[in-house]
Amino acid sequence: MNIEEITKTTKNLNDTTKIILNILYTEKIISEQFGEILKPYDLSSEQYNVLRILRGQKGKPANMFLIQERMVAKKSNTTRLVDKLLLKSFVTRQVCPENRRKIEVSITQKGLDTLTELEPKVKKHEQSFVDNFSDDELQQLNYLLEKYRNI
């Protein structure tokens, strides 16, 4: 189904408008389906992103600046996200011994176990969007999206 049919547009859209609508609509579908995967774990996509960032630290704590810097959604309220993860026992938080103004966050075993359980579901979700693409098409799509984004 093309974007005109999805939006029930009766007039012809120019290519620029179609691109924007297609990207926004596709992102919405991906996000909604991803949200359904995370729902049973009481996680938002932003909280999931924080957990992945912390897992990538390989046991070393991360400060709030590092987490914020690596977030996909840069406008996320990192403190609020960490607070929610703390309440769910997915992370721990402590004051840095060298700099009391700095807060260090670490992922807990529960957080690691949750990511391990989610991983096959997330991979299946990601794969479902690329099954009808060749490797060359995937590389081209990534190239074009990066080119489009880096204006």
Side-chain angles (χ1 to χ4, degrees), residues 142-151:
N142 270 314
Y143 170 78
L144 292 171
L145 287 170
E146 288 171 2
K147 184 176 181 178
Y148 188 77
R149 188 178 60 248
N150 292 317
I151 51 175

Side-chain angles (χ1 to χ4, degrees), residues 55-125:
R55 179 178 63 185
Q57 289 294 106
K58 299 183 185 338
K60 293 187 289 184
N63 62 49
M64 297 299 223
F65 178 76
L66 183 137
I67 295 170
Q68 182 68 45
E69 182 179 61
R70 294 184 183 174
M71 291 289 293
V72 173
K74 300 289 186 196
K75 302 264 188 228
S76 297
N77 183 335
T78 310
T79 302
R80 183 182 53 81
L81 292 171
V82 168
D83 286 346
K84 288 184 176 190
L85 291 169
L86 189 62
L87 290 172
K88 297 171 192 176
S89 301
F90 288 132
V91 301
T92 59
R93 180 177 57 195
Q94 53 191 312
V95 176
C96 174
E98 292 85 40
N99 181 350
R100 292 178 42 88
R101 291 176 290 168
K102 197 164 142 184
I103 302 295
E104 294 181 331
V105 183
S106 298
I107 191 167
T108 63
Q109 190 59 50
K110 180 180 178 183
L112 290 169
D113 293 344
T114 300
L115 286 179
T116 299
E117 191 176 326
L118 274 166
E119 202 159 318
K121 296 171 185 179
V122 171
K123 286 199 183 306
K124 183 178 177 185
H125 166 67

Side-chain angles (χ1 to χ4, degrees), residues 26-38 45 48 118-131:
T26 302
E27 189 277 333
K28 183 177 176 357
I29 290 171
I30 293 169
S31 294
E32 285 176 356
Q33 290 181 12
F34 188 56
E36 289 301 311
I37 293 168
L38 298 176
S45 60
Y48 175 79
L118 274 166
E119 202 159 318
K121 296 171 185 179
V122 171
K123 286 199 183 306
K124 183 178 177 185
H125 166 67
E126 291 171 351
Q127 190 63 41
S128 72
F129 288 98
V130 298
D131 278 343

